[in-house]
Amino acid sequence: MTEFKIAVIGLGYVGLPLARLFATKYPVVGYDINRNRISELMEGNDSTLEVESSQLQSVLVPDNPVASMLTKEEGGHSSGLFCTFDQGELRNCNIFIVTVPTPVDRNNRPDLTPLIMASETVGNVISSGSVVIYESTVYPGATEEDCIPVIERVSGLKFNRDFFAGYSPERINPGDKEHTVEKIQKVTSGSTPEVAELVDDLYRSVINAGTHRAPSIKVAEAAKVIENTQRDINIAFVNELAKIFNRMGIDTHDVLKAAGTKWNFLPFKPGLVGGHCIGVDPYYLAQKSQEYGYHPEIILAGRRINDGMGEYVASEVVKLMIKKGIPVKGAKVLMLGVTFKENCPDIRNTRAVDIYRELTEYGLEVTVYDPWANPREVLEEYGIPSIPVLPEKDGYNAIILAVAHRDFINLNLRELKKPETVIYDVKGILDVSIVDGRL
C-alpha cells in the first residue's frame, strides 16, 4: 500500500479526535449517519468539546481529499479532513477505521448493532487490498467472528485474501485535555503479520507516545476490555469500603488519604461509575466468558456494587433529611450535575440519573442543574428535565453534588441552603465544614 487514504466511520468522542489527528498527515474522509453532526463539524464546531475549533478548522477541507488525489485535480489536497453522511464519499479509501459506540441493552447484554451497521457500510464501499481497523471496545473475538463476516457478505470479498483487518482499541478520555489521543501509547494488531506491521506503522506515524504491537487481534481486544474492567473492580472495592466506613462513622476519604502514603497503594476513590467504557465494558467480557462456560464472579459483583451507588446515595440523603426533621415528601432537592464525568458534556450511561429517579420515588422534587449538559439530550435520553443556568430560589431542603464540574467547586452553597438543608457530596470535593454526608 503506497498511500494511506483513510476513512473514519463514526465521528463522536473517539472518531473525531482520531480523524483530526490523521488529517494532519493524510487525506481523511470522516463519515457519520448524523447529518446535524456533519453540518456542525464542517462549520468547524465540535459539540462534544473534544476538538478545539481552531484545531478542527485547521484540517478541514471543502471537498473529498481522496477524490482530489485520485483525479489529480489542480489544487487537490494531500491531507485534510472532509466530513460527510454520504457513503459514496468513502469509495477509493483503502484504510477504514471504525469508531462507533458499543453499548449494552437494558438487560446489560452487549449491543453490537452500531458495529454491525458500520461493518455493512464498510462492506458497501471496500475494495480489494483495503484494511479495516476496529477501535470500538468489544469482547475478544468480535472483530473476526462478528464483524468480518458482515463485510464478506456485503462486499463479496474474501477475508485475508481480498481485504484485511486490524484492531487498535480506542484510548480516549472524554474531557481530558492533557491525555489527548496522540499522547497515549496505542495498542495495534493485524490479521496477518504484514498487516500488523502496516497498522502499527500507520498509528506510529501520528502517535507521539508510540505503539505496542499485540501478537493477535484477540489479544488486543482482550487488553482493551480488561483495562476498564480492572478500574471498575477497583472502584467497586472502594465503594464497598465507603458503605462500611459510613456505618462506622469513619470518613472514607481520610482513610484513603492515610492508606495512600504507602508507595504501592492504588489511589481509587468512591463514586458513580457510568460512561461508555468503565460502566459498560465489563459486561462484554462477562458475556463472552459465559459463552465459554465460565461465570465471572468478581467482575459481576463489581458491576452490581457500582450500579447500585445511585440508589445508595439517594437513601443516604433521605436518612440525613429525616435526622434533621425535614419532611421527605415534597421536599425540594438541587442536584448538581448529570453528565457521566466532570467538565464534559457526555451523558452516555450516566449514573447520576439513578440518584434523580430514586429521589423522585421517595416523593422529592428534584431540580437538575448542569451547565455542561445539553438539556434536550438529557430529556430525550432519560426523560429528565435539566437546566444549564443556576435557578434563583430561596433555598433547598437538600443539595447533592453529583458531578465534580469546575463550575461547582467555587459555588457558594451557603447562599443556596437553609439552616437545616442537607448537603451531600458524592465526589468528595466540597469543604467538609458544610457537608452533612459524602461517599
Side-chain angles (χ1 to χ4, degrees):
M1 188 175 292
T2 57
E3 293 178 308
F4 292 129
K5 299 182 284 289
I6 302 171
V8 176
I9 300 172
L11 296 176
Y13 286 85
V14 174
L16 181 64
L18 187 70
R20 195 283 311 172
L21 180 62
F22 274 127
T24 61
K25 293 192 67 171
Y26 306 106
V28 178
V29 180
Y31 172 80
D32 200 288
I33 60 174
N34 187 330
R35 296 191 176 204
N36 292 333
R37 176 69 169 159
I38 295 301
S39 294
E40 73 168 18
L41 293 179
M42 287 306 291
E43 291 173 359
N45 300 312
D46 172 27
S47 59
T48 70
L49 306 182
E50 289 303 299
V51 177
E52 299 289 342
S53 293
S54 58
Q55 285 185 312
L56 181 57
Q57 291 167 7
S58 69
V59 297
L60 283 176
V61 293
D63 52 16
N64 189 325
V66 173
S68 295
M69 288 180 65
L70 291 168
T71 58
K72 296 184 171 19
E73 293 178 358
E74 186 176 347
H77 312 284
S78 60
S79 64
L81 172 63
F82 174 73
C83 302
T84 182
F85 53 80
D86 180 3
Q87 284 187 24
E89 297 282 6
L90 303 178
R91 295 189 187 279
N92 300 314
C93 291
N94 55 17
I95 299 288
F96 297 86
I97 304 177
V98 177
T99 58
V100 297
T102 45
V104 293
D105 63 19
R106 62 176 58 190
N107 296 311
N108 292 323
R109 293 174 302 198
D111 180 5
L112 297 182
T113 301
L115 207 56
I116 298 303
M117 291 178 63
S119 298
E120 290 174 344
T121 296
V122 173
N124 284 326
V125 296
I126 196 170
S127 57
S128 184
S130 297
V131 178
V132 54
I133 304 168
Y134 288 87
E135 289 215 1
S136 307
T137 304
V138 292
Y139 45 71
T143 297
E144 293 159 294
E145 297 166 13
D146 296 295
C147 300
I148 294 304
V150 174
I151 298 176
E152 287 187 309
R153 172 177 56 81
V154 175
S155 68
L157 300 178
K158 184 68 176 176
F159 178 50
N160 276 344
R161 186 192 70 188
D162 303 319
F163 75 97
F164 305 88
Y167 184 80
S168 181
E170 57 95 351
R171 280 182 167 170
I172 295 289
N173 187 23
D176 189 339
K177 301 306 180 184
E178 179 180 352
H179 301 97
T180 50
V181 59
E182 67 269 24
K183 298 178 183 177
I184 304 174
Q185 188 174 18
K186 205 81 159 64
V187 174
T188 66
S189 63
S191 56
T192 69
E194 295 77 16
V195 170
E197 183 176 359
L198 181 147
V199 172
D200 196 67
D201 287 344
L202 173 64
Y203 280 96
R204 195 159 15 94
S205 70
V206 294
I207 302 294
N208 297 333
T211 59
H212 172 88
R213 193 190 309 178
S216 70
I217 286 176
K218 284 186 178 180
V219 167
E221 291 169 325
K224 172 57 182 179
V225 79
I226 71 164
E227 289 175 18
N228 292 325
T229 301
Q230 182 187 67
R231 287 184 57 80
D232 192 46
I233 291 170
N234 279 311
I235 297 171
F237 173 60
V238 294
N239 275 337
E240 189 163 54
L241 290 180
K243 292 182 176 182
I244 295 169
F245 293 144
N246 284 346
R247 291 195 174 201
M248 295 179 176
I250 302 172
D251 189 294
T252 304
H253 291 268
D254 288 342
V255 175
L256 295 175
K257 185 176 180 180
T261 59
K262 190 167 187 284
W263 74 91
N264 60 352
F265 184 81
L266 301 178
F268 288 92
K269 295 181 180 180
L272 306 174
V273 183
H276 65 296
C277 287
I278 301 177
V280 171
D281 297 352
Y283 289 120
Y284 275 75
L285 184 57
Q287 166 93 2
K288 200 62 177 179
S289 67
Q290 288 169 337
E291 290 179 12
Y292 280 81
Y294 181 80
H295 181 77
E297 298 184 30
I298 293 177
I299 293 171
L300 292 179
R303 281 281 74 233
R304 284 192 296 272
I305 290 173
N306 287 339
D307 277 349
M309 291 309 293
E311 180 180 350
Y312 174 77
V313 168
S315 66
E316 289 295 292
V317 171
V318 170
K319 289 176 185 177
L320 289 168
M321 291 174 65
I322 292 172
K323 288 179 181 179
K324 284 195 172 188
I326 303 172
V328 173
K329 186 174 178 60
K332 299 186 182 301
V333 179
L334 176 64
M335 192 172 89
L336 302 174
V338 72
T339 60
F340 96 86
K341 66 177 294 186
E342 64 275 5
N343 307 323
C344 173
D346 196 347
I347 63 169
R348 289 175 296 173
N349 193 39
T350 174
R351 306 324 302 177
V353 298
D354 296 341
I355 301 175
Y356 176 94
R357 288 169 175 161
E358 191 68 15
L359 288 175
T360 56
E361 286 291 315
Y362 281 107
L364 286 82
E365 298 178 11
V366 184
T367 298
V368 177
Y369 162 52
D370 194 320
W372 287 81
N374 183 318
R376 177 183 54 80
E377 292 180 359
V378 177
L379 188 62
E380 290 177 356
E381 182 70 20
Y382 301 106
I384 294 174
S386 64
I387 53 177
V389 179
L390 185 66
E392 295 181 5
K393 287 195 175 182
D394 294 332
Y396 294 88
N397 301 113
I399 299 173
I400 303 171
L401 185 134
V403 185
H405 292 318
R406 54 176 171 261
D407 309 64
F408 300 152
I409 295 176
N410 296 318
L411 191 62
N412 191 345
L413 295 181
R414 289 182 174 85
E415 292 183 352
L416 295 173
K417 66 175 288 186
K418 299 176 182 177
E420 70 277 9
T421 299
V422 167
I423 294 184
Y424 194 92
D425 184 6
V426 173
K427 299 297 293 185
I429 64 169
L430 298 177
D431 183 347
V432 293
S433 67
I434 64 168
V435 169
D436 298 284
R438 63 177 181 169
L439 283 180

